[in-house]
Amino acid sequence: MLTGIVIDALDVTRLERFWRAATRGRTGGLALRFARTARPKTDKNRLHLDLSGGPDWRSEVTRLLELGATRADIGQGEVPWDVLADPEGNEFCVLRPGHPGVRSDSGLVAICLDVAERDRGVQSDFWQSEAGWHAVEDHDWGVRLRSRADSPVALVMGPPAAPKRERNRLRPEVTRAGREPGEFLDPAGNEYHVRS
């Protein structure tokens, strides 16, 4: 079962404090766990988090900037959401009202995994099996999985896939009884953690 996200951090205390405040503690029951690293971020992440901006999304973006986020340009162009980065440069999006699939006015609403079009079916099948979540939407833009029909958080997979040059700083974490714990790779080479 997908139970959390592991985030590499140069300063664990600072990043944990940021994300606790950024999500307002609303993570849909998923744990955000922080792992100390000495390696600074250098590339666009293949996995990022989406937060709901709520009806007053402009104020929410301002609040996040005051918490230590910065605006980020990853080549997104004109899009109906705001792209920010946490204090260590990890990209995340703030979704505006009316964004498809958003089921909450605040907090974590999506875990977004870059998936190349050619890998979409394999990745969808893999993550449905590994995470125990089920596909609730399958469109030309990607696939959306949820743990249950009314879950506020979705795992969204779709293109474009950022080139994989180094270990991902954000990684899904699954809990599986009887599985050997450790770090593994999904079919597209993305790291994920298993806890037993």
Side-chain angles (χ1 to χ4, degrees), residues 24-153:
R24 300 177 188 266
R26 299 184 71 181
T27 61
L30 296 174
L32 298 182
R33 196 164 63 79
F34 299 85
R36 189 168 313 283
T37 185
R39 180 182 55 86
K41 180 183 179 297
T42 58
D43 283 331
K44 178 189 174 293
N45 289 319
R46 274 189 163 188
L47 186 131
H48 73 270
L49 305 179
D50 282 356
L51 304 180
S52 174
D56 191 5
W57 59 270
R58 287 181 185 90
S59 292
E60 181 64 1
V61 168
T62 299
R63 183 185 78 86
L64 293 164
L65 292 169
E66 289 170 353
L67 288 173
T70 55
R71 293 198 178 271
D73 184 351
I74 54 172
Q76 70 268 17
E78 290 296 318
V79 291
W81 56 82
D82 293 88
V83 180
L84 303 179
D86 72 15
E88 293 195 7
N90 298 303
E91 305 88 2
F92 67 97
C93 297
V94 179
L95 306 181
R96 298 175 187 172
H99 192 90
V102 174
R103 296 185 173 173
S104 178
D105 283 343
S106 68
L108 179 65
V109 292
I111 303 159
C112 301
L113 179 62
D114 289 1
V115 173
E117 183 62 36
R118 69 180 180 280
D119 297 331
R120 191 165 109 189
V122 170
Q123 285 289 81
S124 176
D125 291 346
F126 175 84
W127 280 108
Q128 286 184 71
S129 172
E130 196 65 15
W133 291 22
H134 308 286
V136 294
E137 295 177 58
D138 191 342
H139 300 282
D140 57 353
W141 54 260
V143 178
R144 188 184 319 267
L145 309 180
R146 291 191 190 273
S147 62
R148 58 186 194 281
D150 63 345
S151 175
V153 179

Side-chain angles (χ1 to χ4, degrees), residues 162-184:
K164 180 87 162 69
R165 293 187 191 65
E166 60 184 32
R167 186 169 182 270
N168 293 331
R169 290 181 64 85
L170 279 77
R171 300 172 298 282
E173 184 167 74
V174 299
T175 301
R176 301 289 288 242
R179 264 295 279 287
E180 182 176 339
E183 189 169 282
F184 299 88

